[in-house]
């Protein structure tokens, strides 16, 4: 049965890192299963200069259509569904990113193929492909058996540690979708991120507020600790969605990736989307009341306790002597 | 302009979740259910559009399930005009693709111009609802939406990428939007108002027939993640914990004036 097809995440002239992670994994699975690896990119330009740096696939496909030049998630999903439907690959590999989320479930829905989202591991046992997916905020893993039919996998970025570098695929072919329905969606413009008062990606010490801070009224306490440590305050998504801190302070999938010398998580549970953005920090320390919080799986040091007891005591000890 | 917000119940992930004895699902016996947090964002965004006069009505719809009445009354208390419970006769957990098929069938009898739902849920490992529902209805869809405004026959949405980059997209209606975050934090519904509505308001129902099973990956087992790195826990009295933390900071050279 079919090949392994990686959908390249190609946006504004750049191929995302996750595409090379997926290609690395596809190569490994392809060797185990005796399947070839193909990579697909969608564009409106021919020849597109991206096709030469899609990575070491056996074959690259350029899906070419004048309507698919700018970011066009639904049109892309429909063109890809037409392309993949003809070929019936063993697996379609994409990612749980803003790019992949429109496309992965979209293709699955259009073609009636199974989808496995939030995939953090893929292995082969007795020629059966087994995918592991992270659910319930990372508290539970679901292990599923990929059926004997084409299946769409959306992986969490950073899951596959052996990425390949950009290089030229062995062969490049062009495929032009016929009868693509007129676009119902159009990109008007890109909106660049607002300039931040504080750049959390450059801070050496980050004090990160999670859902456990309970209320915006408790932010001054967190800020005081950050000041005492000489760091800055960042946040997990629930804190930003609640409007307690601006979006440019958010760590994680829809926020920023940080690698500070010290990450101190306060009431951060550690959903997969958050861990993706901080797990490479040099020193991770977490304080949380829930001993089973996933943040403790990546932390070097943990305190199971109440931040409203520990933080004031810590601030007290950090005060300059004589005050 | 009629907005429909599709909401669902999910196990409260703030609570302890156990794997069921057969290993194929979580144990649903003693857990409590809450509205999917992203559906709360979707509801808020729809209510804001109505309050701004951009939309005429907000109808909230959910597949029947444990805790769904509470969720629908809460949505009414927050300001939704109508609530519809879709009766289907299936046992949980319902695959997301089957959810999409059931909802697509129910939406045939519910007037709508634009459908909102949450970008993802705690248990949608088999694919997110918005694209699956869009595909089932043959409507365009957009995931990871953080702002919506309505123009003549169009929704103009912001879709958020990593690092705060956003794409402004115009989408022809009808369409399905997967909301990541509303323009403002979800409002609070007073418990007294919810209780009052439980006595006075009625939930409408729409019945749909069971759908043929969709292809799906088969669950082998659920498990708790095994830590790739196990945190060293600092324990003891409050003083001991604080001293332990300071010594960790000191050893890493991140204490001010000591680094």
């Amino acid at each position: 049965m079919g090949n392994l097809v990686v959908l390249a995440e190609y946006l504004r002239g750049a191929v995302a890192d996750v595409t090379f992670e997926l290609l690395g994994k596809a190569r490994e699975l392809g060797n185990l299963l005796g399947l070839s690896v193909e990579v697909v990119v969608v564009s409106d330009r021919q020849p597109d200069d991206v096709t030469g740096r899609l990575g070491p696939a056996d074959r690259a496909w350029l899906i070419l259509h004048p309507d698919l030049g700018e970011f066009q998630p639904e049109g892309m999903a429909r063109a890809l569904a037409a392309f993949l439907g003809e070929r019936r690959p063993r697996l379609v590999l994409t990612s749980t990113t803003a790019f992949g989320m429109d496309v992965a479930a979209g293709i699955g829905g259009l073609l009636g193929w199974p989808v496995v989202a939030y995939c953090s591991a893929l292995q082969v046992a007795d020629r059966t492909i087994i995918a592991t997916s992270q659910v319930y905020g990372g508290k539970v893993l679901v292990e599923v058996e990929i059926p004997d039919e084409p299946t769409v996998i959306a992986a969490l970025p950073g899951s596959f540690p052996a990425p390949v570098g950009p290089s030229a695929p062995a062969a490049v072919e062009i495929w032009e979708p016929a009868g693509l329905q007129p676009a119902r969606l159009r990109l008007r413009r890109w909106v660049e991120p607002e300039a931040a008062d504080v750049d959390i990606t450059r801070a050496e010490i980050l004090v990160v507020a999670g859902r456990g801070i309970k209320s915006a009224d408790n932010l001054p306490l967190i800020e005081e600790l950050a000041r005492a440590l000489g760091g800055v305050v960042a946040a997990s998504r629930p804190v930003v969605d609640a409007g307690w801190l601006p979006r440019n302070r958010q760590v994680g999938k829809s926020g920023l990736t940080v690698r500070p010398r010290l990450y101190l998580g306060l009431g951060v549970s550690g959903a997969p989307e958050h861990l993706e953005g901080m797990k490479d920090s040099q020193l991770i320390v977490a304080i949380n009341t829930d001993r089973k919080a996933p943040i403790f799986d990546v932390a070097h040091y943990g305190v199971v306790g109440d931040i409203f007891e520990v933080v004031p005591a810590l601030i007290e000890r950090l005060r300059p002597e004589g005050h | 302009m009629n907005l429909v917000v599709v909401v669902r119940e999910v196990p409260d992930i703030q609570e302890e979740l156990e794997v069921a004895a057969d290993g194929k699902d979580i144990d649903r016996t003693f857990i409590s259910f809450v509205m999917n947090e992203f559906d709360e964002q979707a509801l808020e965004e729809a209510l804001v559009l109505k309050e701004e006069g951009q939309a005429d009505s907000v109808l909230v719809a959910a597949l029947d399930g444990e805790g769904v009445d509470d969720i629908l009354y809460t949505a009414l208390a927050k300001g939704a005009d109508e609530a519809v419970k879709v009766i289907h006769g299936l046992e949980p957990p319902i695959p997301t693709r089957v959810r999409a098929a059931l909802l697509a069938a129910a939406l045939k009898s519910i007037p709508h111009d634009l459908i909102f739902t949450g970008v993802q849920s705690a248990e949608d490992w088999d694919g997110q609802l918005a694209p699956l529902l869009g595909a089932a209805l043959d409507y365009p869809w957009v995931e990871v939406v953080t702002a919506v405004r309505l123009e003549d026959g169009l929704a103009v949405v912001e879709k958020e990428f990593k690092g705060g980059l956003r794409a402004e997209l115009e989408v022809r209606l009808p369409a399905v939007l997967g909301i990541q975050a509303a323009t403002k934090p979800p409002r609070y519904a007073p418990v007294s108002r919810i209780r009052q509505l439980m006595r006075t308001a009625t939930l409408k129902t729409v019945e749909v027939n069971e759908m043929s099973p969709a292809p799906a990956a088969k669950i082998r087992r659920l498990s708790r993640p095994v830590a790739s790195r196990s945190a060293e826990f600092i324990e003891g009295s409050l003083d001991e914990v604080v001293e332990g933390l300071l010594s960790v900071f000191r050893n890493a050279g991140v204490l001010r004036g000591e680094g």
Side-chain angles (χ1 to χ4, degrees):
Chain A
M1 194 210 244
N3 300 320
L4 303 174
V5 174
V6 172
L7 303 182
E9 188 163 323
Y10 176 51
L11 205 59
R12 307 177 91 200
V15 181
D17 292 346
V18 69
T19 300
F20 300 108
E21 295 168 13
L22 294 171
L23 272 166
K25 190 67 194 181
R27 266 266 86 98
E28 178 197 319
L29 290 177
N31 293 344
L32 285 168
L33 295 163
L35 300 176
S36 71
V37 174
E38 304 192 354
V39 57
V40 181
V41 66
V42 180
S43 178
D44 64 341
R45 241 155 291 167
Q46 178 195 3
D48 196 305
D49 64 354
V50 73
T51 50
R53 50 190 168 91
L54 283 176
D58 298 310
R59 188 195 265 182
W61 290 95
L62 172 61
I63 295 185
L64 196 66
H65 194 282
D67 287 353
L68 301 177
E70 284 282 17
F71 180 67
Q72 215 316 358
E74 189 222 0
M76 273 175 27
R78 289 185 185 280
L80 285 163
F83 172 81
L84 296 165
E86 282 182 8
R87 278 160 190 79
R88 299 186 59 79
R90 180 73 192 90
L91 293 181
V92 179
L93 295 161
T94 175
S95 61
T96 308
T97 59
F99 185 99
M101 277 172 92
D102 279 88
V103 176
I107 292 171
L110 291 169
L111 292 169
W113 293 352
V115 177
V116 180
Y118 322 107
C119 174
S120 59
L122 272 172
Q123 60 220 22
V124 178
D126 293 336
R127 295 195 64 78
T128 301
I129 306 172
I130 295 162
T132 305
S133 173
Q134 293 187 6
V135 285
Y136 304 108
K139 285 186 167 180
V140 176
L141 299 177
V142 181
E143 209 178 275
V144 299
E145 217 170 282
I146 304 302
D148 239 355
E149 59 191 314
T151 300
V152 183
I153 305 283
L156 292 167
S159 297
F160 305 129
V164 297
S167 63
V172 179
E173 286 182 58
I174 289 168
W175 189 83
E176 293 177 64
L180 197 64
Q181 63 170 275
R184 297 184 288 189
L185 201 149
R186 192 176 70 84
L187 178 84
R188 279 194 179 174
R189 62 185 181 121
W190 290 103
V191 184
E192 302 297 333
E194 290 93 11
D197 54 338
V198 170
D199 183 354
I200 60 167
T201 66
R202 299 177 82 97
E204 294 211 329
I205 295 173
L206 278 184
V207 178
V208 184
R211 202 193 294 262
I213 71 161
K214 294 195 173 105
S215 150
D217 298 342
N218 296 320
L219 269 177
L221 180 71
I222 312 297
E223 275 156 7
E224 195 182 343
L225 176 60
R227 260 197 312 277
L229 283 168
V232 300
V233 176
S236 66
R237 189 195 47 75
V239 171
V240 173
D241 281 355
W244 301 342
L245 280 169
R247 206 152 282 278
N248 55 36
R249 299 287 185 107
Q250 184 181 335
V251 173
K253 180 180 74 126
S254 48
L256 295 156
T257 298
V258 297
R259 291 182 191 83
R261 284 176 70 195
L262 169 64
Y263 168 106
L264 176 59
L266 304 175
V268 174
S269 66
E273 294 83 359
H274 184 75
L275 301 189
E276 184 189 319
M278 51 64 74
K279 63 174 189 260
D280 295 328
S281 303
Q282 286 180 41
L283 175 65
I284 301 171
V285 181
I287 306 177
N288 199 302
T289 48
D290 178 5
R291 195 184 186 100
K292 287 179 174 156
I295 190 78
F296 290 130
D297 297 344
V298 301
H300 300 92
Y301 293 92
V303 173
V304 179
D306 184 349
I307 54 174
F308 300 110
E309 286 177 13
V310 179
V311 171
L314 203 47
I315 292 169
E316 189 59 37
R317 280 287 282 110
L318 287 166
R319 275 186 219 282
E321 278 173 46
H323 289 263
Chain B
M1 175 72 69
N2 299 312
L3 308 182
V4 169
V5 186
V6 174
V7 299
R8 62 168 291 178
E9 82 290 4
V10 288
D12 185 352
I13 60 168
Q14 306 308 318
E15 287 182 10
E16 191 81 359
L17 296 177
E18 299 289 345
V19 176
D22 71 353
K24 304 285 168 100
D25 191 13
I26 53 165
D27 188 341
R28 290 173 191 265
T29 327
F30 298 113
I31 53 176
S32 50
F33 290 90
V34 293
M35 191 192 293
N36 172 23
E37 57 176 310
F38 296 102
D39 295 348
E40 296 211 37
Q41 301 283 343
L43 175 60
E44 182 61 37
E45 191 68 4
L47 292 172
V48 167
L49 288 172
K50 187 191 148 193
E51 284 161 0
E52 290 175 352
Q54 295 197 61
D56 303 307
S57 68
V58 174
L59 180 148
V60 60
L63 295 184
D64 196 12
E66 196 178 338
V68 157
D69 286 12
D70 288 356
I71 286 170
L72 290 175
Y73 283 118
T74 304
L76 288 173
K78 287 184 174 193
D81 300 287
E82 276 184 89
V84 172
K85 185 160 70 167
V86 179
I87 310 295
H88 51 78
L90 299 180
E91 290 297 314
I94 306 168
T96 312
R97 190 186 307 261
V98 175
R99 288 182 170 272
L102 294 167
L103 288 161
L107 282 160
K108 283 185 188 146
S109 59
I110 300 172
H112 60 273
D113 298 292
L114 182 56
I115 300 164
F116 289 68
T117 192
V119 65
Q120 66 187 74
S121 84
E123 47 186 17
D124 61 356
W125 63 268
D126 52 353
Q128 293 83 18
L129 180 66
L132 289 170
L133 187 56
L137 290 163
D138 191 23
Y139 294 168
W141 64 86
V142 185
E143 276 278 73
V144 205
V145 170
T146 53
V148 182
R149 69 173 193 275
L150 300 170
E151 291 179 3
D152 195 22
L154 292 174
V156 180
V157 307
E158 283 188 8
K159 173 182 168 76
E160 192 168 88
F161 290 78
K162 201 168 172 56
L165 173 71
R166 285 159 292 158
E168 188 180 275
L169 299 161
E170 59 174 53
V171 193
R172 206 163 328 139
L173 304 185
V176 185
L177 303 179
I179 306 290
Q180 164 84 34
T183 319
K184 64 183 202 49
R187 68 200 59 197
Y188 174 74
V191 176
S192 58
R193 175 88 183 124
I194 300 171
R195 292 226 175 98
Q196 183 203 340
L197 282 164
M198 282 176 166
R199 289 193 302 271
T200 56
T202 33
L203 305 178
K204 295 185 180 172
T205 56
V206 173
E207 205 158 320
V208 290
N209 296 323
E210 196 175 329
M211 300 288 142
S212 55
K218 199 173 89 200
I219 293 182
R220 282 165 69 103
R221 63 182 191 115
L222 268 61
S223 63
R224 289 187 168 279
V226 179
S228 53
R229 174 197 290 153
S230 190
E232 184 177 318
F233 285 100
I234 302 167
E235 288 163 337
S237 67
L238 183 59
D239 280 348
E240 286 164 339
V241 164
V242 168
E243 287 312 316
L245 283 169
L246 289 173
S247 118
V248 164
F249 298 159
R250 195 172 294 121
N251 291 341
V254 291
L255 264 199
R256 237 181 193 180
E258 297 182 29

